[in-house]
């Protein structure tokens, strides 16, 4: 089964705040878009891939990004959990560098 990808460009259905995904996850698209904007302020870009009941949050760094601006991965999972509608233990976080990697 091909994972579902949510691009970092923030495209969404304008009439819906939450979208239901066949995996059973309820994604808060508005809050996810706001979270992306917060990361983009520090030149980071978030993409989400869903596969079954698992999520992969991939964060890529632009040329102006600073590694110290990223929170530990455990904390990132906790922040993403309510936005993706899945428990933090089902979210894998990939950072551009291995900084603040407690809780891999």
């Amino acid at each position: 089964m091909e994972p579902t990808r949510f691009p970092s460009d923030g495209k969404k259905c304008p009439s819906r705040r939450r979208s239901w995904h066949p995996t059973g996850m309820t994604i808060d698209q508005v809050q996810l878009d706001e979270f992306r904007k917060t990361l983009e302020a520090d030149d980071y870009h978030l993409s989400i891939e869903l596969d079954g009941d698992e999520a992969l949050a991939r964060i890529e760094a632009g040329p102006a990004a600073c590694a110290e601006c990223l929170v530990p991965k455990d904390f990132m999972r906790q922040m993403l959990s309510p936005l993706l509608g899945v428990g933090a233990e089902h979210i894998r976080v990939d950072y551009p560098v291995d900084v603040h990697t407690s809780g891999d």
Side-chain angles (χ1 to χ4, degrees), residues 1-95:
M1 178 179 183
E2 180 69 21
T4 301
R5 290 178 174 77
F6 289 85
S8 61
D9 62 10
K11 291 181 181 175
K12 64 180 180 2
C13 173
S15 64
R16 297 180 64 147
R17 176 182 171 97
R18 289 190 172 267
S19 60
W20 180 84
H21 188 269
T23 63
M25 295 179 194
T26 304
I27 299 165
D28 188 333
Q29 194 64 54
V30 171
Q31 290 296 318
L32 186 57
D33 290 345
E34 288 300 314
F35 190 72
R36 278 191 174 110
K37 288 178 189 174
T38 300
L39 288 171
E40 288 169 0
D42 291 320
D43 203 20
Y44 286 104
H45 307 281
L46 171 67
S47 63
I48 302 292
E49 294 181 18
L50 305 176
D51 190 8
D53 64 349
E54 302 291 317
L56 167 62
R58 182 172 287 123
I59 298 174
E60 297 178 3
C66 69
E68 294 82 28
C69 296
L70 291 174
V71 299
K73 289 181 178 181
D74 267 349
F75 190 57
M76 182 64 72
R77 281 190 276 276
Q78 293 297 323
M79 291 189 300
L80 288 169
S81 178
L83 306 180
L84 300 177
V86 64
E89 68 276 9
H90 295 285
I91 301 171
R92 191 174 95 221
V93 176
D94 283 351
Y95 276 172

